[in-house]
Amino acid sequence: MKKSLRERQLDAEFYCNRWLADGNEALENGDKSKADFCFAKSQFWLDRSNLLLGHSDKAPPKQ
């Protein structure tokens, strides 16, 4: 079953926050390479969230 646009927006926001938290934890533990990886994943999900919410240069999906 296909997820609604709202569910996809919430998923993107959730994953963005989760990767950000993981990156912060890795940074606190001194693992810079893991932190950088997590921050990159967080940025991906933030960009996706912005796209789905219509806060991007690209047009948001209709569904």
Side-chain angles (χ1 to χ4, degrees), residues 29-49:
N29 293 332
D31 192 348
K32 184 169 176 358
S33 63
K34 182 177 179 180
D36 289 342
F37 175 78
C38 292
F39 292 147
K41 295 290 274 186
S42 177
Q43 185 63 50
F44 167 83
W45 285 106
L46 178 62
D47 293 342
R48 179 139 179 100
S49 175

Side-chain angles (χ1 to χ4, degrees), residues 6-51:
R6 182 67 183 142
E7 288 174 314
R8 291 175 16 214
Q9 290 168 342
L10 291 173
D11 281 349
E13 186 176 337
F14 169 78
Y15 288 122
C16 172
N17 290 329
R18 190 183 81 184
W19 281 108
L20 183 60
D22 289 348
N24 286 331
E25 182 179 355
L27 197 58
E28 288 174 3
N29 293 332
D31 192 348
K32 184 169 176 358
S33 63
K34 182 177 179 180
D36 289 342
F37 175 78
C38 292
F39 292 147
K41 295 290 274 186
S42 177
Q43 185 63 50
F44 167 83
W45 285 106
L46 178 62
D47 293 342
R48 179 139 179 100
S49 175
N50 285 334
L51 174 69

